[in-house]
Amino acid sequence: MKTNDLLKTIKNFIDTDRREQVTKYESLKRLMKKLKTKQNILKEKVKSETDLNAKKNLEEKMKVLKAQRKKGLKLLKELKSEI
């Protein structure tokens, strides 16, 4: 094998990891947008809810979504720095 062929092979191997990271980053970014919209919907439901028990349940769901988004944003930052 010539040197150029070896370099192409190595480049393809390295690019595969980068492409996987980019696709993972993009899919996580889409997921974060979905979580944000769910969180906004829950926020509106909490504002309009009058029943205390239902309101409490919605607030708990919001706390869980907020924690998930926080972890997701941290992971997004890590992935972005690697790319």
Side-chain angles (χ1 to χ4, degrees):
M1 261 183 142
K2 292 185 177 182
T3 307
N4 287 337
D5 293 336
L6 289 172
L7 288 174
K8 285 180 184 178
T9 306
I10 290 172
K11 185 177 178 183
N12 286 336
F13 180 72
I14 292 172
D15 284 345
T16 303
D17 290 337
R18 181 161 164 45
R19 273 185 261 133
E20 287 176 3
Q21 286 178 336
V22 169
T23 55
K24 186 175 182 181
Y25 176 80
E26 290 172 354
S27 65
L28 186 58
K29 197 170 182 178
R30 283 189 301 259
L31 179 65
M32 295 304 295
K33 275 189 174 183
K34 288 180 182 179
L35 285 176
K36 178 72 172 181
T37 56
K38 282 186 179 183
Q39 187 177 8
N40 289 336
I41 291 169
L42 279 176
K43 192 181 286 188
E44 292 300 318
K45 284 183 180 180
V46 167
K47 286 181 184 178
S48 65
E49 187 63 50
T50 57
D51 184 27
L52 292 178
N53 288 333
K55 195 171 193 173
K56 219 177 224 188
N57 288 337
L58 291 173
E59 287 173 349
E60 286 297 317
K61 288 180 182 179
M62 268 185 40
K63 285 181 186 179
V64 170
L65 278 176
K66 188 174 182 178
Q68 288 175 340
R69 285 192 67 243
K70 189 174 182 179
K71 288 179 185 179
L73 290 173
K74 183 179 177 184
L75 184 59
L76 271 177
K77 285 181 184 179
E78 289 175 8
L79 282 173
K80 190 172 186 178
S81 67
E82 290 177 7
I83 296 175

